[in-house]
Amino acid sequence: MKKVTVITGMVSVACILVGCNTSNEQTQNTDLVEPVENNTEEQTESNETDSGEEDAEEIETDNLDDEEEDNEEAYEEVQESENYMIQTDYLDATTEFITTFSINREGDLDGSREERLERSMFESDPSEQEILSSFTNLSLEGDTLIVELNTTEYTHLSLSSAMHGMFFQSFSAISDLYGVNEAVFLDPDGVKDVIVADRTIDQTMNIEEERGQTRGYYTLYDTELEQTLFLPGGLLGEDVTEADGEPLSFEETVEKMKTVNDHELSYSTAIVEGMEIDDVSFENEVASVHYKVDEDLVTESDQIVFANAMQLAALDFHATELELVNETERRIVNYPLIK
């Protein structure tokens, strides 16, 4: 019986020891698991914090990008008057008279394209008899100019050879710069057979052929008139075509206008020192010129002369609009042209 008791006691002790060990192991295991759970919570909190910081950084970066974008787009836009006036004058170049041009958008210029064309023609007529205003009625039908002689007295008019050339240079140039493609001359009976300034005109006049090829404009300051006049490259011997005879594109024309050839008239470029052309394009009848200026070198007058030269250059291509973008001053000026 004693042996049984001892064994039973030993078994009980063993059970107690096993139970204790199991309990200790569970306790140890529990102790090991708890730190893992705590680490997970800390990691979650850390991830949430990091994510929040990253989101805040992204929002801040996006805001900065938006601000930079807004600043980049902050250009002042100026819309010039829709109406312009072209006038011609003449320069004695010793061996010949050269037609000069000016363009103006100031003053009383209200009126249709037809009315402004007629006024430009009448005021620029170089003939002493004022042929156009005295003996003709002008009207515009689309891109065709109708010149009706209202009297038979025109047949007695006579012009010197120099005046003859100046008269038709002015007539064709002004027509071209208002977007006219052809001109029809009619006698008082509506017949296409007239004599104007000693010239028989019995066919429709092609304005481009009459005027001749010209690209680009250069400047000459007239001390008497106290204004800058513009001379067309074609009359100065400047390059107006490529090597194969094709007329220069608008982009090539502006590039060519940066420099001048030697000439007795000592004319200048409208793209003065301190101006840098960044980009030039001509798309969908809209001419665009992007440029920068050194504000220490380029005056407001320089920019006005530049703008006028660019308008005339664009009009040679029958542009409907010129866009001048001053990248330095962040200003865009739109000039409506042939409408």
Side-chain angles (χ1 to χ4, degrees), residues 81-140:
S81 166
E82 292 187 358
N83 299 333
Y84 64 88
M85 279 279 291
I86 300 290
Q87 283 189 292
T88 61
D89 212 317
Y90 305 92
L91 195 63
D92 188 350
T94 308
T95 58
E96 62 178 332
F97 287 95
I98 292 180
T99 304
T100 65
F101 295 83
S102 61
I103 183 169
N104 179 37
R105 290 179 185 268
E106 299 177 355
D108 181 19
L109 298 180
D110 290 339
S112 66
R113 174 174 161 232
E114 178 181 278
E115 291 169 333
R116 288 180 288 112
L117 167 62
E118 180 182 77
R119 181 176 164 186
S120 291
M121 287 282 195
F122 289 176
E123 292 182 4
S124 300
D125 188 344
S127 63
E128 293 179 0
Q129 304 94 331
E130 297 182 338
I131 293 174
L132 293 175
S133 59
S134 301
F135 302 100
T136 69
N137 297 317
L138 304 181
S139 60
L140 202 55

Side-chain angles (χ1 to χ4, degrees), residues 1-166:
M1 289 298 293
K2 284 183 180 178
K3 289 182 181 178
V4 172
T5 302
V6 171
I7 292 170
T8 304
M10 291 177 66
V11 169
S12 298
V13 172
C15 289
I16 291 169
L17 291 173
V18 169
C20 290
N21 288 337
T22 303
S23 176
N24 288 336
E25 287 175 3
Q26 288 176 347
T27 303
Q28 289 175 358
N29 289 340
T30 303
D31 292 341
L32 290 172
V33 169
E34 283 179 357
V36 172
E37 289 177 354
N38 290 339
N39 287 341
T40 303
E41 288 177 4
E42 289 174 5
Q43 187 175 358
T44 302
E45 289 176 3
S46 175
N47 288 343
E48 288 176 354
T49 303
D50 292 344
S51 176
E53 289 176 356
E54 287 174 4
D55 289 344
E57 286 177 4
E58 285 179 8
I59 291 170
E60 189 176 345
T61 303
D62 289 343
N63 289 338
L64 287 173
D65 289 342
D66 290 341
E67 286 176 12
E68 288 176 4
E69 219 171 272
D70 290 341
N71 289 335
E72 285 179 2
E73 294 174 358
Y75 279 77
E76 175 193 3
E77 290 201 36
V78 179
Q79 185 71 28
E80 288 290 341
S81 166
E82 292 187 358
N83 299 333
Y84 64 88
M85 279 279 291
I86 300 290
Q87 283 189 292
T88 61
D89 212 317
Y90 305 92
L91 195 63
D92 188 350
T94 308
T95 58
E96 62 178 332
F97 287 95
I98 292 180
T99 304
T100 65
F101 295 83
S102 61
I103 183 169
N104 179 37
R105 290 179 185 268
E106 299 177 355
D108 181 19
L109 298 180
D110 290 339
S112 66
R113 174 174 161 232
E114 178 181 278
E115 291 169 333
R116 288 180 288 112
L117 167 62
E118 180 182 77
R119 181 176 164 186
S120 291
M121 287 282 195
F122 289 176
E123 292 182 4
S124 300
D125 188 344
S127 63
E128 293 179 0
Q129 304 94 331
E130 297 182 338
I131 293 174
L132 293 175
S133 59
S134 301
F135 302 100
T136 69
N137 297 317
L138 304 181
S139 60
L140 202 55
E141 294 182 4
D143 295 334
T144 300
L145 177 62
I146 309 298
V147 184
E148 297 179 278
L149 277 298
N150 55 28
T151 176
T152 57
E153 293 182 17
Y154 69 87
T155 57
H156 304 295
L157 296 175
S158 179
L159 298 177
S160 65
S161 58
M163 186 65 69
H164 176 277
M166 290 159 56

Side-chain angles (χ1 to χ4, degrees), residues 196-208:
V196 179
D198 299 326
R199 175 177 170 181
T200 299
I201 306 174
D202 56 6
Q203 300 291 330
T204 297
M205 180 185 289
N206 182 300
I207 294 300
E208 184 178 351

Side-chain angles (χ1 to χ4, degrees), residues 71-80 275-276 278-279 287-295 298-308 321-335:
N71 289 335
E72 285 179 2
E73 294 174 358
Y75 279 77
E76 175 193 3
E77 290 201 36
V78 179
Q79 185 71 28
E80 288 290 341
M275 277 189 174
E276 179 184 346
D278 271 357
D279 184 64
S288 179
V289 180
H290 293 240
Y291 68 101
K292 293 175 183 169
V293 296
D294 182 333
E295 294 175 319
V298 180
T299 66
E300 184 178 349
S301 296
D302 290 332
Q303 292 206 54
I304 292 172
V305 169
F306 172 73
N308 288 341
E321 181 183 339
L322 169 68
E323 179 185 71
L324 287 185
V325 183
N326 185 326
E327 302 286 4
T328 304
E329 299 176 2
R330 306 188 76 76
R331 186 175 70 249
I332 302 172
V333 184
N334 293 300
Y335 297 87

